[in-house]
Each structure stands twice: as C-alpha cells, then as structure tokens.
Amino acid sequence: MLTNRSAPHARVTPVLIVADVRAAVAWYTEVLGFVEHVRIGEGHRAQLGLPDGPAAELVVAEERPGRRVPDPDGRSHQVMLKVADADAVVTVALARGAVLVEPSHDWEYGERQATLNDPFGHQWVLNQTLADVAPEEWGGQSVTPRSP
C-alpha cells in the first residue's frame, strides 16, 4: 500500500468536526499528547498523530454544510485512546475544560478506563492497560487472534 506525506497513514482515521480547529488542535496536543503532522489552512483542517507506537491518526476539520457535528447534548460517537496513565490525563483534561462522564474504573479484562467529553463536543474513552488478560478469563471469546 502506498503512503503519501500529505495524507494520514493510518488505515482508519476518525475525523472530528469542530467550530475552532486551532483551539481543538491545541487541546488535543496539550492534553492528549497528539502531534500535528499537516496543517491545511489556518482554520480549515489539521492531521494529528501520536508520537510513538502504532500508527494512530486523527483529522480535525471545520464545521461546514454536509459534515456531521455532535448534537447539542454532545452525543455523536466515542473515540478510544490508549494512554499510559488514565488518571493523569483526566486531571489535565478537567483542568482544561473537559467534563467527566465516567470516572476511572478497573475492568476484569485488564483495562482501566475513564470517559470524558472534550470542550468541542467529542467523547473520549481513555484506556490504560493494566495486565494482559485472555478474553476467556473474563467471559469473552478469542475469534481471530491479533498479530503480536
């Protein structure tokens, strides 16, 4: 598969629609640790990625006709983001205007999760891995194992 320095490299890339692209980019880089790879116009669009690890990218785009935005209650979708310390990210996010939806909680499948709404109307599930747990250990089922 070809790559293009002008386009996201991840195979699946969420696009978050916001009223203020520059403010959202600042928040996502400062609070969630994304880095800006490509800027398209000052307020039109930006391509963000994570600095290390597997490719994960995000596009932040301006509101315009035909694009879906969160409803007034902030409901639209969730983006799950793997983080090293969910509690630390929640602390920074709340200080920067996020609203806590679900506090951090440890799950039987080896993950600690917290859910918050960012100031732009998007919901994030912060996911911290605590242990490697086989799905069968908590009632799940392995179907197609992931590559290491």
Side-chain angles (χ1 to χ4, degrees):
M1 185 177 304
L2 292 175
T3 57
N4 174 359
R5 288 173 288 157
S6 294
H9 290 185
R11 292 187 67 192
V12 175
T13 305
V15 177
L16 302 183
I17 308 302
V18 299
D20 186 338
V21 170
R22 296 314 316 154
V25 168
W27 200 91
Y28 297 141
T29 58
E30 293 168 18
V31 174
L32 300 179
F34 281 90
V35 294
E36 186 172 12
H37 290 301
V38 177
R39 183 178 298 174
I40 304 166
E42 196 51 35
H44 171 62
R45 190 176 203 134
Q47 297 173 14
L48 308 180
L50 294 173
D52 299 311
E57 299 189 71
L58 177 69
V59 171
V60 180
E62 67 184 342
E63 293 180 355
R64 61 165 55 167
R67 289 190 176 158
R68 233 174 117 202
V69 298
D71 70 20
D73 295 326
R75 292 184 303 254
S76 65
H77 56 272
Q78 290 182 323
V79 178
M80 183 178 284
L81 177 65
K82 182 77 73 177
V83 298
D85 185 338
D87 295 330
V89 176
V90 166
T91 298
V92 173
L94 295 177
R96 294 290 316 273
V99 175
L100 188 64
V101 175
E102 293 181 18
S104 296
H105 178 79
D106 295 347
W107 293 95
E108 64 271 12
Y109 46 82
E111 300 294 306
R112 180 169 183 79
Q113 292 179 333
T115 303
L116 56 86
N117 291 339
D118 71 26
F120 312 97
H122 302 286
Q123 190 167 87
W124 294 82
V125 178
L126 305 173
N127 195 57
Q128 175 185 346
T129 298
L130 302 174
D132 180 17
V133 179
E136 290 73 14
E137 293 180 45
W138 52 267
Q141 179 183 9
S142 297
V143 179
T144 304
R146 291 182 178 91
S147 300

